[in-house]
Amino acid sequence: MNALISTALSGVVLMFVGLFVSNRQRIKYFAIALVLVAFVANLLELSTLQGGSQTLFGMLEISKFGLLFNAVMLGATLLYFLLCGSEFEKVGEHVADYFALIFFILSGIMLASGFSSLLMLFLAIEIISIPQYILAGADKKNLKSNEASLKYFLMGSFSTGILLMGIALIYGASGTFNINELALGTGELHPLTIGGIMLLIFALAFKVSAVPFHFWTPDVYDGSPTVFTAFMATVVKAGGFIAFLRLFHVSFTGGAISQHWLLVLAIIAAATLVMGNLTAVFQQSVKRMLAYSSIAQAGFMLLAVIALNETATQGIILYAAAYSVATIGMFGVLMKVKDYTFEGFNGLARKQPLLALAATIFLFSLAGIPLTAGFFAKYFVLSAVVQQGNLLWLVILAVICAAISVYYYFRVIMAMYFKAGEPEVAPFTPAFKTVLIIAIIIVIVLGVYPGILLQWA
Amino acid sequence: MPVQYYIFLSIALFCIGIMGVLMRRNAIIIFMCIELMLNAVNLLLVAFSKMWADAGRIDAAAAQIFVFFIMVVAAAEVAVGLAIIVMVYRNTHSVDINILNRLKN
Amino acid sequence: MINLVWLVPVLPLLGFLINGLGRRYLSKSQVGVVGSGVILAAFVISVMIFLEVRQPGFSGQVVTLFDFINVGRLQIPFAFQVDQLSALFLLIITGVGSLIHIYSTSYMHDESNEGFARYFAYLNLFVFSMLLLVLGANYVLMFIGWEGVGLCSYLLIGFWFKNANYNKAAKKAFVMNRIGDLGFLLGIFGMIAMFSSVTFSEVFSKTAALGAHSNYSSQIAIIAMLLFVGAMGKSAQIPLYTWLPDAMAGPTPVSALIHAATMVTAGIYMVARSNVLYTLAPQIQTVVAVIGLATALLAASIAMVQNDIKKVLAYSTVSQLGYMFLALGVGAYTAAVFHVMTHAFFKALLFLGSGSVIHAMGGEQDIRKMGGLKKFMPTTNWTFLVGCLAIAGIPGLSGFFSKDEILAHTFEHNKIMYVLALAGALMTAFYMFRLYYITFTGSFRGTHEQEHHLHESPAAITFPLIVLAILSIVGGYIGLPEVFGVKHWLAEYLSPIFAPSAPFIEAHHLEHSMEWLLMGLSSVLVIIFIFIARSKYVKYADTGRENTGLAKVLENKWYVDELYDAVIVKPLGMLSRFFQDALEKAGIDRLVNGVGRSITWGSQQARRLQNGQVGFYVFAMVIGIIVLFVIGLLL
Amino acid sequence: MNTQQVIFLVLSAISLASAMGVILSKNPVTSVLCLILTFFTIAGHYVMLNAQFLAVVHIIVYAGAIMVLFLFVIMLMNLNADVEPQKRNWLKYAGAISGGTLLVILVAALRDASMPSLQSGSSDIGLIANLGKTLFHQYVVPFEISSVLFLSAMVGAVVIGKKE
Amino acid sequence: MLTVLLILIPLVTGLLTFGLKGSGPKVLGLISSLASLAVVLGALFQFRAAPDTLHFAVNWIPQLGSQFNVGLDGMGVMLCLLTAIAFLLVFITIFNRTYENQSSFYGLMLLSQAGLVGVFTAYDALLFYVFWELALIPVYFLCSMWGGEKRVPVTFKFFVYTFAGSLLMLVGIIYLYLQSPDKSFSYAAFTSLNLPVKEQSWLFWLLFVAFAIKMPIFPFHTWQPDTYEQSPTPVTMILPGVMVKMGLFGVIRWLLPVLPQGAFMWADVVMVLSVIGIIYASCIAIVQTDFKRLIAYSSIAHIGLMCAAIFANNEQSLQGIQVQMFNHGINIIGLWIVVEIIQSRLNVKNLDELGGIAQVAPRLSIFLVIISLANIALPLTNGFVGEFLMFSGLFQYNMWLMGVAGLGIILAAVYTLNMLQKVIFGESNALTATTTDLQNSELLALSLIVGVILVLGVYPKPMLDLVSSTTELVNKVF
């Protein structure tokens, strides 16, 4: 709750700050301070929260799990601001507004992690989406940015329609929007419920860019200003997943009901894994490769949604953290390199050893190499599915896809270390260096001792 | 009067909306079709709220509140959406979605 | 004394180490002294041991040094067995060995300092391994020596390693030996599987115990056969004999020591050692006999037309080994060992003689280029003559007694075999004297400068010749047959060794008249054949015309090498190439890479879907919705 | 077949027809008008389902605000029939067919749903007082939250629309 | 505690090395490897005195019930010893060479050592997996940075191949973990599972593929020759010398005890594959003209025999394989050292261009001969004992299989002698005539190896006793 309020307010505040403060650096620092505040507030709540959870008018539930997730998201955002904050001004002049929008998105995510009514889910998703439409198009003169924005907007609102239809049908069957009551109500399986769940799955699958609803992802991520892509691909995506997981974890678990959507979701997950990894292999631009890799990673996170057990929930948190940190870091490096193609990275290790090392660690984490956070993230979701039983084929597939993923992640490493070249690298401050090193440390620490994060859940 | 009527009606409107999205190239028209889909949902919700009200549930108003919020969101979306469309039009002098294919593969 | 038996192999090992490590620093004389000295010392000790062993009532003694392999029930100690058989072989090896070392000091004198040392190092190493072979108290230790001598022969055949052909010969020898060794190894595993022991005493006692039950006989037969395969390889029997003639690439003393006197007799030693196994596997014994006889005849036939002095001797060695196996096959173990000994004497003598000749001829080995050497090198001449007489089996010389004993036992066993064996003996007489006459009589056919420095060899060479000549004459008298009204001393001496198999051999003896008859017959025939040879070759002139018909086939050794080449070597090469090119490159590797390639291909296809058209995207979404909806509803 | 059903059928017929008009008409302006018509019919339905307040809001928000905005934009871009290039026909049909299939499937899925039927009698849940109470009691949180939505939309409109 | 030290030493020094300049890395590398050797020897004595004291466990990820649980049994001690010796030898051999950007080179080497030791000491499945990968990554970088011209694609193939395999293993581990009653990764928990046969039979392959690729046995081997050919020789010494043993070790430590029935079920298949591999690889080795590829294939053949021996799985074969793991490591490293020397002198790999080295570099030639002979298991060299026991065990499992496998002995003789003949015998040509004989560091390394070869060849008992405990354990559960 603290976090929600503080983020929302921060957004408002920043809007006005934009009017009075012209110095962009200062705005940035201010934003960082605000997110830090939100982070601390959230941690306080997390540490002081006694009992399992408390709800607000049956609309919001404040639970340890949700708060932990918020903490991860806020932490990721903090890192994001620190690494990429100075890139904002390169996009356009409304720096303050961009920050404001990002804060609004954050508040949306706080909702997504705690909603207990379908209405709130709807609002959360809209609050997350609408600012993204704008951020995607923030680079107004750039046609690619425009295109990304329009594409995202059209398809996004289309999926909203489907989401609403799903909600409507479910309401028709059960007569309530409260997800906890839904869970009780779904004893007997009403045709409307099934249809509704299906439509919900499709809509949410769109938000987390799962095949075959993923088509917007590469174009949008590619077209939007890189700095915002970094945010969309990480924090926002994780937010989508928490919504997905929460809805199904609370409402639609249980053998009778889950068997109706399990297979569909499994198929979606499988398709996502295959398509995402396969398509990523042949990309020419690292940015676009990362877009596809985000699809592939979504496939893995979907495994958690499928499994829906203790391990899965732990896994999603770990995954969100690992994936966000690594990807944000990777984008941070990417933005320092002028040329986004793989050739652009040739010989980076010689020129900028630190950047190269950081990129390597982050890519390891994404590929799920042990001793990086990514390994345990993957480990948890995989074991969650194995635990769930009778979906071993999916696990094997996932594992094979993980092997494929090495193929494109390591292309970057090869370019950096084993190919000769003269990459042009934008200058960066010692502060940036320190942040990068911190990010590396986070990745390693989570990889060596994930308990540090899990002990909270 | 069975509620199925309304279900089918709104589904029909919904699907017409989808067809529109599929068939047209003009971004604005597509957007309108999406609005149509939303309205189909609204209609359905209202119908259900009546249904549950008649079934004697006191919180049946919730559905109408929901519709209310949908309208709110729709309005917001329209504001943003039209702004985006205008922006694109400024740069390309067209609202044809098919000329937007710089991003591919 | 017997407890010092470990000194016998250790001394040569020392020699090896000294000569091997110090080859840079030692002078030739020092090397020679060390090399020969250690062997002589070993010989002395062996003699002492022998003297102890020959005491009547001495039953073998095992000297354990340390544990070699201990795995559960399988205990393989590093232990030496001293008994009549090993003691006898010790004498032969160290005795003949030391003579040949002395001989070598002079023969190899032209080598570079380092080469000289290397030569003696190898030779000592060989003696070491050979001693291990005969001293080992279990089959594994025997196998160690078995492979060791193989290695040494490889090294010594390829001693002049610059010459590619010599290397090929060496390789051939080693590989063929390995084929045999595999058989031997399998035999050992058979024992382990059956008796879970490889120690002679245990194996033999257990075998003898099982021998009664027929249901074990097949296993015993298998083991015996596998061991015999090993013997084939080591002792150059059909089909694994072709390496021995090529092995003549090595220095002549080596041929004398390794490829005549000692190593090649390892097979006989092994079979004699495991006589129980064979006695209890009569069918295998027959195999042994047949193969031995066939080898004897084949080799003899080839020897009749060879022109390389060493090749002739080599083939005669093969054929003599054949006789020994024939003896073993017919159950005349004593006779076999007897022949091993006598053969060691006269064949070493012959080789060393030929070495002396070659030395004098400046490396020439083709007998057609020799002739009339009698007058140039008298000592060599008469010693060589003695050798020939001995091997031909002229009564009174060692060869006569041993060979005659074999023939006699063969006669008991099977008449046809006897006839064939006799024929072989006659061929032997023929080719040996062909060799002698062509080489030593007639007129010299070599070049002038060869003739110019033809000379008798120095004492270091002639001394061993003389000693061996004497041995070849008197060596036979330790095994006088009973018809002479004396005890067969050797049989007495060795009886403890063959005691275990005695109960299984039904002993029927020829009456003396028959024995006299056979002896006379063979002697007369031999003499006749010697005269035939004399008439043909005493005035031999090299008419350079090609052999034809059978002679040609014989000259080309029955085309056996060609046959092997076509049947084994070439196919193996083809197979390998097939694996390499077809399976490895085009098959598995392409498959593996194919996975990667198909992924990239799929990736290219997948990219096509991302065509940038919103319309298409939405369309795909709707299709997806429809399909998944159907799936979701149908389930 | 009582009057209620008659009205329902008529309204539905009009709304479906006009909806088809939206997606079929060549001229954007025409589609806008058709859409407005559809909205009016939907409002009619609301009234019948005695959601009077919603009906009014609907008219105001959609017909009044949103569609005017649309119309305004279209006018501003003066798009008319010939401006919009037509999609290739087969794509049109593909779209139509897939949409139709979806319709069929949904109908098939929901056909045998057993639902309580609607009574003809009027209830007062749709009245503003009632809605107001609900909205400001247990729906106050979403209400507040929606302000964030508006703010972000506003900021967005500014960021996107403002000339630089 | 010693065990942890064993992992820490190379890990820490490895990380330190990255910071060093000049000849610092060399020295530190040497020091660290010496230290490891010392610690291993200490562990060896402690093992004889009180084996249990070598175990060490602390909670690692309580949420998963995973512990940092390391320990040493006979086999572990032996393999750690091998690792320590191997790295020491490598560092000695290359002491006079200089590699560009030396610090990373030595750093990565030491890291991979840490990984290897970890694999050999881990008593917790998850830990095992982690180390398994940790050992792989540095090697990947080493090969693709300092290797031959085709290094990048080749090494990448190697990496992806093994990585895919190990991921399957991970799935298997997860499954086993979930089956374990008290949700634990510990070795004890895994070995006490005894799952139904049906599960074991497919789990077997999940785990075995990873090991099979690592060894590698017949159909999974194609990465190896290319990698050996392309990677820098120091790495090529480690790969077959130590890294390959990970696969065999994995089978003995984790596969047989955990999935006995599964292993028993598939033993025949695996053994047939292995035996095919022996013949196949030997044949290819015969026609190889590339020095490195020849040795690579010979190594494949040897590994095939070892794998077969594991699954023959009786006392003798198990003793044999374990001893052979050590000996083969020593021998193959020796061979690679010689290759490295010849290459650094003449830089040709093609056998046909070599020859006559015996005249100009007798010492080198003698060492090559001895090591090659050890490699073909001549008696009184270390190679013999292991192979003898393995074959004997194989014979008791199936006589005919062993007979076919035995052909490998002959073929081995053929290709080894070919190699010797082409490299050191014959007339020396213009190129080889320039070969200089051994330098001191090389002489030291090779003498050490030959020393080990002869000592263990004549007196193998200590080694056999060392590993016998492991053998009993495996035999008991299997």
Side-chain angles (χ1 to χ4, degrees), chain C residues 80-91:
Chain C
F80 292 152
Q81 172 146 4
V82 183
D83 58 13
Q84 289 78 359
L85 190 57
S86 49
L88 185 63
F89 271 84
L90 281 190
L91 279 183

Side-chain angles (χ1 to χ4, degrees), chain A residues 29-40:
Chain A
Y29 294 136
F30 192 57
I32 292 171
L34 286 172
V35 79
L36 202 54
V37 169
F39 186 58
V40 173

Side-chain angles (χ1 to χ4, degrees), chain C residues 367-447:
Chain C
I367 51 176
R368 287 168 300 188
K369 303 269 188 311
M370 302 176 181
L373 299 183
K374 196 192 291 183
K375 52 185 174 300
F376 298 103
M377 31 203 332
T379 328
T380 313
N381 172 41
W382 73 259
T383 47
F384 199 90
L385 184 57
V386 169
C388 291
L389 293 169
I391 191 174
I394 297 300
L397 284 77
S398 60
F400 169 77
F401 297 110
S402 55
K403 184 179 284 178
D404 192 76
E405 193 172 343
I406 296 175
L407 288 175
H409 281 92
T410 319
F411 184 83
E412 292 171 21
H413 191 269
N414 178 331
K415 306 285 175 292
I416 302 151
M417 278 191 180
Y418 170 76
V419 174
L420 292 172
L422 185 58
L426 301 181
M427 283 194 250
T428 314
F430 178 79
Y431 64 70
M432 283 317 297
F433 277 87
R434 168 175 176 272
L435 179 62
Y436 173 74
Y437 285 119
I438 294 181
T439 314
F440 287 92
T441 65
S443 58
F444 184 71
R445 293 180 294 277
T447 59

Side-chain angles (χ1 to χ4, degrees), chain C residues 317-504:
Chain C
T317 311
V318 176
S319 115
Q320 294 305 311
L321 292 167
Y323 275 107
M324 300 175 199
F325 278 102
L326 175 60
L328 295 169
V330 299
Y333 299 113
T334 317
V337 177
F338 188 17
H339 199 58
V340 167
M341 191 185 81
T342 55
H343 175 258
F345 297 150
F346 55 67
K347 187 52 65 66
L349 168 59
L350 287 167
F351 264 113
L352 293 184
S354 71
S356 151
V357 169
I358 294 165
H359 198 63
M361 293 291 296
E364 180 57 68
Q365 300 196 5
D366 188 338
I367 51 176
R368 287 168 300 188
K369 303 269 188 311
M370 302 176 181
L373 299 183
K374 196 192 291 183
K375 52 185 174 300
F376 298 103
M377 31 203 332
T379 328
T380 313
N381 172 41
W382 73 259
T383 47
F384 199 90
L385 184 57
V386 169
C388 291
L389 293 169
I391 191 174
I394 297 300
L397 284 77
S398 60
F400 169 77
F401 297 110
S402 55
K403 184 179 284 178
D404 192 76
E405 193 172 343
I406 296 175
L407 288 175
H409 281 92
T410 319
F411 184 83
E412 292 171 21
H413 191 269
N414 178 331
K415 306 285 175 292
I416 302 151
M417 278 191 180
Y418 170 76
V419 174
L420 292 172
L422 185 58
L426 301 181
M427 283 194 250
T428 314
F430 178 79
Y431 64 70
M432 283 317 297
F433 277 87
R434 168 175 176 272
L435 179 62
Y436 173 74
Y437 285 119
I438 294 181
T439 314
F440 287 92
T441 65
S443 58
F444 184 71
R445 293 180 294 277
T447 59
H448 274 291
E449 66 275 13
Q450 283 177 328
E451 185 163 14
H452 194 263
H453 56 68
L454 270 178
H455 55 76
E456 182 53 88
S457 308
I461 291 188
T462 47
F463 167 69
L465 292 178
I466 296 163
V467 176
L468 285 168
I470 295 164
L471 284 171
S472 326
I473 298 169
V474 303
Y477 291 89
I478 65 163
L480 289 177
E482 269 120 13
V483 287
F484 285 31
V486 293
K487 282 230 161 294
H488 190 300
W489 181 85
L490 189 61
E492 288 289 317
Y493 170 74
L494 287 174
S495 52
I497 303 295
F498 306 125
S501 53
F504 305 100

Side-chain angles (χ1 to χ4, degrees), chain C residues 59-187:
Chain C
S59 59
Q61 180 179 341
V62 174
V63 183
T64 308
L65 301 184
F66 54 85
D67 288 344
F68 184 51
I69 296 177
N70 288 14
V71 176
R73 304 221 312 295
L74 178 62
Q75 303 288 335
I76 306 176
F78 205 102
F80 292 152
Q81 172 146 4
V82 183
D83 58 13
Q84 289 78 359
L85 190 57
S86 49
L88 185 63
F89 271 84
L90 281 190
L91 279 183
I92 299 172
I93 294 159
T94 49
V96 179
S98 39
L99 285 175
I100 287 169
H101 276 73
I102 295 165
Y103 179 95
S104 307
T105 50
S106 150
Y107 188 86
M108 300 299 289
H109 215 276
D110 310 345
E111 284 301 314
S112 74
N113 227 342
E114 201 163 334
F116 193 73
R118 193 157 55 86
Y119 172 83
F120 271 96
Y122 288 164
L123 219 52
N124 290 344
L125 183 61
F126 165 77
V127 175
F128 164 71
S129 335
M130 193 65 207
L131 292 170
L132 271 190
L133 194 159
V134 293
L135 278 174
N138 57 52
Y139 280 95
V140 171
L141 220 54
M142 188 195 263
F143 181 77
I144 292 175
W146 194 267
E147 285 244 306
V149 291
L151 169 68
C152 296
S153 85
Y154 164 77
L155 291 171
L156 283 164
I157 295 167
F159 179 74
W160 289 300
F161 55 76
K162 286 186 192 172
N163 181 327
N165 294 335
Y166 291 5
N167 283 320
K168 278 204 182 55
K171 220 168 66 193
K172 188 174 179 182
F174 193 83
V175 172
M176 280 206 161
N177 272 304
R178 270 243 151 171
I179 297 174
D181 298 349
L182 177 56
F184 195 142
L185 211 48
L186 283 162

